[in-house]
Amino acid sequence: MHLRAHHLLCMLTYSGKGYSKAFVHNFDRLVQRIGAGEAIELLAGPDDVCAPIAGNAEEHCHCASVIERDRLAGSDLAPLVGVALAPGASLVLTAPLLARLRAAFATGRIRRACEGCPWHAMCTEVAKNGDDGTALLQCP
């Protein structure tokens, strides 16, 4: 599976909402695969999450602001993940790592990339409620 760095943050609070039905269906499948232990390879630019909307060059996934989100997310997440999160890096989310990431997200420690995101308020609410209702419930 291919993800851009800031989508590692999105996975933490994803709760079945998105830009379209196709986007939600796709995100649901990706969360299931991550929960089953599938490896994630980081890349720059549109990824497997973006797939349902990336065909339109005007979509935000092609914007410089989203590339900056990836840079900030990679920088914030690297110390918790234990590897540099540059394109080509690979990781598997485990239950202990997921717990560490969610705790850091809830305190705001890894949320610099979230500034200006239209989903910021929703993700804040989900994190505040202890991640109840999130789609990514477990990892190996």
Side-chain angles (χ1 to χ4, degrees):
M1 165 178 329
H2 296 95
L3 294 182
R4 58 194 319 164
H6 87 267
H7 283 151
L8 293 172
L9 298 173
C10 300
M11 293 284 173
L12 299 174
T13 57
Y14 173 69
S15 55
K17 295 179 176 63
Y19 298 102
S20 68
K21 286 181 183 182
F23 183 91
V24 169
H25 177 72
N26 181 56
F27 213 139
D28 288 343
R29 286 186 313 108
L30 295 173
V31 166
Q32 288 175 348
R33 290 168 54 192
I34 290 171
E38 186 170 330
I40 298 166
E41 181 180 341
L42 262 46
L43 57 83
D47 62 3
D48 291 345
V49 172
C50 300
I53 60 173
N56 180 350
E58 295 177 16
E59 282 294 340
H60 71 278
C61 52
H62 298 283
C63 295
S65 62
V66 179
I67 294 167
E68 177 64 3
R69 277 195 186 119
D70 290 334
R71 188 190 69 74
L72 292 170
S75 175
D76 286 352
L77 289 165
L80 292 168
V81 173
V83 297
L85 292 180
S90 183
L91 69 128
V92 173
L93 278 183
T94 62
L97 178 55
L98 180 61
R100 279 197 315 272
L101 294 178
R102 281 196 166 138
F105 188 90
T107 64
R109 185 170 146 210
I110 57 172
R111 296 208 50 200
R112 290 186 307 153
C114 303
E115 293 300 318
C117 175
W119 301 97
H120 186 275
M122 185 205 72
C123 293
T124 299
E125 192 64 27
V126 170
K128 185 175 87 175
N129 291 327
D131 303 310
D132 288 340
T134 60
L136 184 57
L137 299 175
Q138 64 184 24
C139 288

